[in-house]
């Protein structure tokens, strides 16, 4: 009988204690003030939108996410944090990357199809829908915006999506210069120099980089020389910008191995690729002039651009030699 009373008293005490503590906790004032984060404006929809108010699926990455603690070797460094975007990269510079948005986008023989890419307001996609990103220095990017889904029809026949890349802006001081060196295993060495400045309404910026890579496997090396430059004028109502980019690259392709060859030596190349010197030797140049003028209730923007590309691609049983030119307004 005593034990039953004791258990009843303890159960009542246990039930009352949490309620009392909860009531005491509710009476305590909340001293944590709300923290307001800065707003994020996106321009990939052609009209500036606040990211949270945009009625479409948009992803954005800034300069810190792209460049901080990144070697700047491939596109996946800029897009890996955006949902629905997948970049497959084998670090074979003769093949490039495969980019897909929500499963849409196929790797073409010489680039990416189904996804439109714009760099500094200039299309990097050829009229047939094929895109090559060999001329873009990933360590020079400051922002990446992605439109996922059918809203990409704003830019034409790119049902998979749109990727808009922006390079760094000129510094506000008269002149600044920066030099970077990246080194790693398998003969990796990347040298980069950036310089630019602003003087009143005029600004300029240039970036020169050289990449050398020995390759994880035999006959898997690459050399890449890139240049990107920008001249700008920002007046009271007018904004004029000239952008130029160029690349010259030479990459070897070790090819695929059978299971037996892989077991023997995973670092070897397919011997037919070595004999035929399979790889890709190419160059690409791109230039564009953009004029933007503020008008009543909006702004007018006109852009003219041109792209030139040459590719020499010997592969087993054939040799591919391409020269392409494209332009638009």
């Amino acid at each position: 009988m005593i034990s039953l009373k004791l258990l009843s008293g303890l159960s009542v005490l246990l039930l009352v204690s949490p309620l009392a503590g909860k009531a005491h906790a509710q009476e305590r004032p909340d001293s944590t003030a709300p923290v307001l984060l800065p707003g994020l404006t996106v321009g990939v929809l052609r009209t500036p939108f606040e990211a949270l108010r945009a009625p479409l699926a948009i992803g954005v990455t800034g300069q810190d996410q792209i460049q901080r603690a990144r070697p700047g070797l491939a596109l996946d460094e800029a897009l890996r944090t955006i949902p629905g975007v997948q970049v497959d990269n084998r670090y074979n510079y003769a093949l490039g990357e495969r980019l897909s948005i929500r499963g849409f986008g196929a790797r073409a023989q010489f680039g990416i199809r189904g996804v439109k890419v714009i760099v500094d307001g200039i299309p990097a996609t050829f009229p047939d829908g094929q895109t090559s990103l060999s001329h873009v220095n990933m360590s020079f990017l400051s922002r990446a915006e992605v439109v996922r889904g059918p809203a990409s029809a704003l830019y034409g026949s790119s049902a998979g999506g749109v990727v808009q890349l922006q390079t760094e802006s000129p510094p506000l001081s008269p002149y600044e210069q920066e030099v970077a060196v990246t080194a790693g295993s398998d003969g990796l060495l990347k040298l980069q120099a950036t310089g630019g400045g602003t003087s009143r309404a005029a600004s300029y910026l240039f970036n020169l980089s050289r990449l050398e890579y020995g390759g994880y496997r035999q006959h898997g090396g690459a050399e890449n020389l890139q240049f990107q430059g920008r001249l700008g004028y920002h007046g009271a109502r007018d904004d004029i910008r000239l952008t130029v980019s160029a690349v010259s690259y030479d990459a070897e392709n070790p090819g695929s191995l059978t299971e037996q060859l892989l077991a023997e030596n995973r670092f070897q190349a397919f011997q037919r690729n070595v004999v035929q010197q399979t790889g890709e030797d190419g160059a690409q140049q791109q230039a564009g002039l953009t004029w933007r003028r503020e008008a009543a209730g909006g702004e007018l923007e006109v852009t003219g651009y041109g792209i030139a590309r040459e590719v020499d691609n010997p592969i087993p049983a054939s040799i591919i030699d391409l020269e392409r030119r494209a332009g638009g307004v």
Side-chain angles (χ1 to χ4, degrees):
M1 192 70 177
I2 295 176
S3 61
L4 290 176
K5 290 182 178 180
L6 181 59
L7 291 175
S8 300
L10 289 175
S11 62
V12 172
L13 182 61
L14 291 174
L15 289 173
V16 173
S17 297
L19 294 176
K22 184 176 181 181
H24 179 70
Q26 290 177 348
E27 294 175 359
R28 183 178 302 168
D30 186 6
S31 60
T32 304
V35 178
L36 296 179
L37 300 177
L40 179 64
T41 302
V42 295
V44 71
L45 299 178
R46 296 189 180 270
T47 300
F49 270 96
E50 291 185 15
L52 295 179
R53 296 179 180 272
L56 307 169
I58 302 174
V60 183
T61 55
Q63 185 169 345
D64 285 345
Q65 294 172 294
I66 296 174
Q67 295 189 11
R68 180 175 296 177
R70 309 284 191 198
L73 301 177
L75 183 62
D76 56 316
E77 300 174 21
L79 303 180
R80 66 178 57 180
T81 60
I82 298 181
V85 179
Q86 179 175 342
V87 181
D88 297 327
N89 185 11
R90 290 182 284 178
Y91 285 94
N92 184 336
Y93 287 92
L95 298 178
E97 302 121 323
R98 179 184 182 272
L99 172 65
S100 62
I101 299 179
R102 289 182 173 177
F104 195 102
R107 185 194 172 278
Q109 185 66 30
F110 302 102
I112 302 165
R113 286 190 184 275
V115 176
K116 190 155 191 174
V117 180
I118 300 172
V119 183
D120 287 335
I122 302 173
T125 302
F126 280 85
D128 64 353
Q130 187 168 256
T131 304
S132 173
L133 296 176
S134 57
H135 67 294
V136 181
N137 183 359
M138 298 304 166
S139 59
F140 191 51
L141 294 180
S142 63
R143 188 179 178 91
E145 299 183 8
V146 177
V147 177
R148 307 185 296 274
S152 58
L154 289 169
Y155 291 87
S157 57
S158 300
V162 174
V163 178
Q164 181 172 276
L165 305 175
Q166 296 179 11
T167 57
E168 294 184 12
S169 301
L172 299 178
S173 60
Y175 181 74
E176 288 186 13
Q177 184 174 356
E178 181 180 345
V179 178
V181 178
T182 303
S185 58
D186 301 318
L188 174 64
L189 178 63
K190 183 177 182 181
L191 307 176
Q192 178 174 283
T194 304
T198 301
S199 178
R200 297 182 180 179
S203 62
Y204 67 98
L205 184 68
F206 68 87
N207 176 271
L208 180 65
S209 68
R210 177 176 178 82
L211 170 70
E212 293 184 0
Y213 178 54
Y216 176 74
R217 296 168 55 194
Q218 177 192 3
H219 194 68
E223 294 182 0
N224 195 325
L225 181 63
Q226 293 175 317
F227 171 80
Q228 290 180 299
R230 177 194 298 185
L231 295 175
Y233 170 82
H234 186 72
R237 297 179 59 188
D238 298 293
D239 187 2
I240 302 174
R241 184 176 60 204
L242 172 66
T243 60
V244 178
S245 62
V247 63
S248 176
Y249 63 93
D250 185 5
E252 299 171 330
N253 185 358
S256 58
L257 299 175
T258 64
E259 185 176 359
Q260 180 180 358
L261 292 176
L262 183 65
E264 292 176 359
N265 181 7
R266 66 182 305 110
F267 301 103
Q268 67 176 314
F270 185 58
Q271 288 304 308
R272 191 171 181 182
N273 283 35
V274 177
V275 172
Q276 194 167 343
Q277 293 297 298
T278 303
E280 184 172 311
D281 184 2
Q284 182 167 325
Q285 304 85 34
Q286 180 170 311
L289 180 64
T290 301
W291 171 51
R292 183 180 301 150
R293 182 179 180 86
E294 294 183 3
E299 67 178 18
L300 171 68
E301 181 176 336
V302 179
T303 300
Y305 67 94
I307 310 175
R309 189 179 183 205
E310 301 86 31
V311 175
D312 182 13
N313 183 214
I315 58 177
S318 61
I319 296 178
I320 300 173
D321 188 5
L322 296 178
E323 291 188 9
R324 309 189 66 190
R325 304 290 186 270
V329 176

